[in-house]
Amino acid sequence: MATLHPEPVLGITQSLTGQPWHWRGAEGDRRQADLEPDDLVALLLLSRGVPRDDLDRYRAPTIRGFMPDPSIFRDMDSAADRLAQAVIAREKVTIYGDYDVDGATSAALLIRLLRDLGLDAGAYIPDRLMEGYGPSGAALTSLAEAGSTLIVTVDCGAMAYEALQMAHDVGVDVVVVDHHKCAAELPRAFALVNPNRLDEDDEAAAHGHLAAVGVAFLLGAALVRTLRAQGYFASRPEPALMELLDLVALGTVADVAQLKGLNRAFVAQGLKIMARRRNIGMAALIDVSRLTRAPVCSDLGFALGPRINAGGRVGAADLGVRLLTTQDEAEASDIAAQLSRLNEERRAIEAMVQEEAEALLAGQHNRAVALLAGQGWHAGVIGIVAGRIKERTGKPSLVIALDDKGIGKGSGRSIPGVDLGAAIIAAKDAGLLVAGGGHAMAAGLTINADKIDRFSEFLEEHLAARVAAASGGARLLVDALVAPRGLTPDLIDRMESAGPYGMGWPAPRLATGPVRIVRCDVVGTMHVRAIAAGDDGASFKAMAFRSVDTPLGQALLGAPRDRRFWLAGRVKIDNWNGNHASEMHVDDLAAVDL
């Protein structure tokens, strides 16, 4: 049973990691919510900022409950009108996507929708290493010369000034569908749909957390509405737009978009569509990921997404789009297997770059932003490594791969409260970068090697105070206190009904104890596994991932059997080898006062 306590949780003001434990959300909500003690779902929703009078809408998020009118976004109607014109006239249309999961799912969504509308659109995905991020003028003019009269860029284009000008000069219309940070001056496009345009009003800007695939879905809805108004469906059925929500869910979670508002509805409903396995390529991807049950939210980020990404990172960039749009089961099975093999290759490359980056990290001291550059690093894995460095240091982190010509491709990941994308755009405006952009939590860049030191200093000057403010109030947020005997699969199922969980909608963290560590060992080379036994007679497995060389891992490994602890972490169901028991993924521990 979950119980409510005043802060600090269990009186812990300094845990093993030096953090106080606090309740998540406003204390006032806990005193005034009038909850039954077992109404854990309402507690979780309230602590994530849901108003009490809006609990019902958030308990079961639906598209209808959260969907805005697409026309609130600038250029949306113009984009829908232009696409409708192309559909009716059977123009040659190309969807130009980014090479990551968000780009692949955005492109696949529009291609599948246009196919259902009777238009067989093509796809163009640039090679990460040879062409880099975003539309290039050469690629756009080449597509125009090959007959495309309309190009829709997805998950890219918001900062592609030169490329879009070249496309305009050769007479091809370009519609940009993006979600990355924009500058005050926009590139020249027929239409540019992006909730993060600086000239958007508050209603549209409130959807700035959408991934590009979410924006593409809204464009799809606007397109269907436009065609309906023009009588296009008088002799043909309307496409089942909701059947494309599996793509929206995958792209949203894999792009680490905040799971609030409309994104929660996209993912909640998209998982239902995914479970029906109607997308042949998605079903093959699920199978090759060895999932024997319907996917859950975490599977999208840790099993399905990395395999789609592997094509753009170390393989053929268009494999993800081909998989998600194919109508041939044999082709789907073959591409899914290829992506899975590439994902294993990606892991090996990533481990090598990670090791070298951490060696460089050891030489950095008192820096607000971790910036690491290495000759010959594979540009396809630097974003993942940047994320690992961020988790390890608690700081915004950038990893730059340098080629033999002195050009660096960089990828960065940030922490809540520090807008890395805006800093990258400012650095580009200051002449330090060849190219760059992104959003608050992730960004990419191109830089000349001789400017890396100046760029690092620029980041320190612009972000040090913000990093200090974001890090200074570090504390471990706890949702509920549960006795060891209460960590049951039933409790986990109840908590899942307040999901989906992810960025901006954190999975519940529980505190439990007192417990003794009765057994502990190392799993693989980095993980610590323990058996914790509670005073109430219950025991459970606890895992501390990537913790062998951290204070947390060392404390678990060295815990005396007669010492009692409080543990805090996320509780999951362990189904390994037919097992069905709860296990805790430990984030922190604190000694019980004797």
Side-chain angles (χ1 to χ4, degrees):
M1 178 183 296
T3 55
L4 310 181
H5 287 257
E7 56 183 6
V9 178
L10 298 166
I12 297 169
T13 57
Q14 187 169 9
S15 68
L16 176 84
T17 62
Q19 301 180 91
W21 291 8
H22 287 259
W23 294 117
R24 191 188 308 276
E27 182 65 17
D29 282 344
R30 296 176 174 278
R31 289 195 300 263
Q32 302 170 17
D34 298 323
L35 300 174
E36 293 296 323
D38 285 336
D39 197 354
L40 183 58
V41 173
L43 169 63
L44 295 174
L45 294 174
L46 287 168
S47 64
R48 281 152 183 75
V50 177
R52 256 195 295 173
D53 58 5
D54 210 11
L55 284 175
D56 289 341
R57 187 166 70 119
Y58 276 82
R59 282 181 188 271
T62 63
I63 303 301
R64 182 182 296 274
F66 286 90
M67 182 90 165
D69 181 344
S71 295
I72 67 171
F73 299 96
R74 292 187 181 274
D75 282 4
M76 180 67 83
D77 291 340
S78 296
D81 288 343
R82 182 64 185 88
L83 269 170
Q85 175 187 331
V87 168
I88 293 169
R90 297 294 186 266
E91 295 182 45
K92 186 172 182 179
V93 176
T94 299
I95 311 300
Y96 192 117
D98 187 23
Y99 37 64
D100 68 359
V101 185
D102 194 16
T105 52
S106 299
L109 184 149
L110 290 180
I111 289 170
R112 292 177 70 93
L113 175 59
L114 291 172
R115 181 190 297 160
D116 290 344
L117 291 169
L119 181 66
D120 191 14
Y124 186 92
I125 309 295
D127 182 272
R128 180 188 293 264
L129 300 181
M130 301 301 295
E131 297 177 83
Y133 170 77
S136 69
L140 295 179
T141 55
S142 177
L143 291 171
E145 291 168 357
S148 290
T149 54
L150 174 62
I151 300 171
V152 183
T153 72
V154 288
D155 196 30
C156 58
M159 300 287 287
Y161 297 95
E162 181 179 350
L164 295 188
Q165 182 62 52
M166 291 176 65
H168 177 269
D169 291 345
V170 297
V172 63
D173 290 337
V174 178
V175 169
V176 175
V177 179
D178 205 352
H179 70 131
H180 292 99
K181 293 282 184 181
C182 292
E185 179 184 355
L186 297 174
R188 188 164 191 172
F190 184 90
L192 195 155
V193 184
N194 185 336
N196 287 305
R197 285 176 55 153
L198 297 181
D199 58 350
E200 283 288 15
D201 61 24
D202 290 345
E203 185 180 8
H207 295 278
H209 60 287
L210 293 178
V213 69
V215 183
F217 182 86
L218 293 175
L219 175 58
L223 170 60
V224 171
R225 182 176 63 184
T226 299
L227 289 171
R228 185 188 304 124
Q230 296 180 8
Y232 187 75
F233 302 116
S235 59
R236 63 182 303 138
E238 289 194 17
L241 191 60
M242 294 298 180
E243 291 295 314
L244 301 175
L245 285 173
D246 56 348
L247 296 169
V248 183
L250 177 56
T252 297
V253 173
D255 210 52
V256 202
Q258 294 189 49
L259 296 190
K260 62 181 184 180
L262 180 57
N263 279 347
R264 281 178 47 73
F266 278 154
V267 176
Q269 299 304 318
L271 286 169
K272 296 177 183 178
I273 300 298
M274 198 174 293
R276 298 173 190 168
R277 298 172 60 89
R278 291 176 181 168
N279 183 319
I280 292 170
M282 190 77 76
L285 185 65
I286 293 169
D287 290 341
V288 81
S289 301
R290 300 178 182 175
L291 296 177
T292 57
R293 47 158 173 76
V296 297
C297 189
S298 59
D299 295 326
L300 309 188
F302 293 104
L304 308 186
R307 286 173 166 82
I308 295 291
N309 253 337
R313 293 187 186 279
V314 297
D318 66 346
L319 284 174
V321 173
R322 287 170 52 197
L323 174 67
L324 297 173
T325 57
T326 185
Q327 295 173 296
D328 184 292
E329 291 187 4
E331 181 183 28
S333 179
D334 180 66
I335 295 175
Q338 187 176 352
L339 285 170
S340 197
R341 290 192 298 271
L342 288 170
N343 192 48
E344 292 301 318
E345 180 182 340
R346 184 270 305 169
R347 287 180 178 176
I349 296 171
E350 174 196 329
M352 179 189 69
V353 175
Q354 178 82 23
E355 182 179 356
E356 294 182 11
E358 289 190 355
L360 293 176
L361 182 66
Q364 290 193 358
H365 303 286
N366 300 319
R367 307 290 290 182
V369 179
L371 192 154
L372 307 164
Q375 192 76 33
W377 288 353
H378 197 297
V381 302
I382 55 177
I384 301 173
V385 174
R388 302 271 193 222
I389 298 295
K390 179 203 74 171
E391 293 299 325
R392 187 177 186 86
T393 63
K395 302 175 181 179
S397 300
L398 292 109
V399 177
I400 299 174
L402 296 168
D403 65 18
D404 55 7
K405 298 178 181 178
I407 301 296
K409 298 289 186 180
S411 186
R413 300 293 182 267
S414 195
I415 60 176
V418 180
D419 190 335
L420 185 59
I424 295 298
I425 292 173
K428 180 179 182 298
D429 291 342
L432 296 174
L433 304 177
V434 177
H439 47 80
M441 298 299 289
L445 59 94
T446 302
I447 187 171
N448 290 316
D450 59 1
K451 291 188 176 180
I452 289 178
D453 288 343
R454 288 172 56 197
F455 174 53
S456 180
E457 293 302 323
F458 178 93
L459 293 177
E460 291 295 314
E461 293 172 7
H462 281 70
L463 296 181
R466 295 173 189 174
V467 172
S471 304
R475 54 184 181 162
L476 192 83
L477 298 180
V478 175
D479 289 285
L481 173 64
V482 181
R485 189 172 294 279
L487 299 178
T488 64
D490 177 65
L491 176 74
I492 297 168
D493 288 340
R494 286 161 55 200
M495 290 192 299
E496 283 300 315
S497 64
Y501 299 107
M503 177 60 65
W505 199 267
R509 180 183 287 117
L510 305 180
T512 191
V515 299
R516 291 178 174 83
I517 306 302
V518 298
R519 193 172 76 215
C520 195
D521 59 2
V522 176
V523 179
T525 59
M526 293 293 294
H527 314 308
V528 174
R529 174 179 58 192
I531 300 298
D535 288 356
D536 59 3
S539 62
F540 58 90
K541 183 169 78 173
M543 294 290 300
F545 293 99
R546 297 181 178 275
S547 68
V548 165
D549 57 353
T550 69
L552 174 61
Q554 290 300 307
L556 288 169
L557 289 166
R561 289 201 175 188
D562 60 349
R563 194 71 186 273
R564 298 157 75 231
F565 297 94
W566 298 109
L567 300 182
R570 272 84 176 195
V571 186
K572 306 290 184 181
I573 294 178
D574 176 17
N575 288 311
W576 180 254
N577 283 340
N579 193 21
H580 190 70
S582 303
E583 69 176 32
M584 174 172 276
H585 296 177
V586 181
D587 298 319
D588 202 359
L589 81 163
V592 175
D593 291 334
L594 299 177

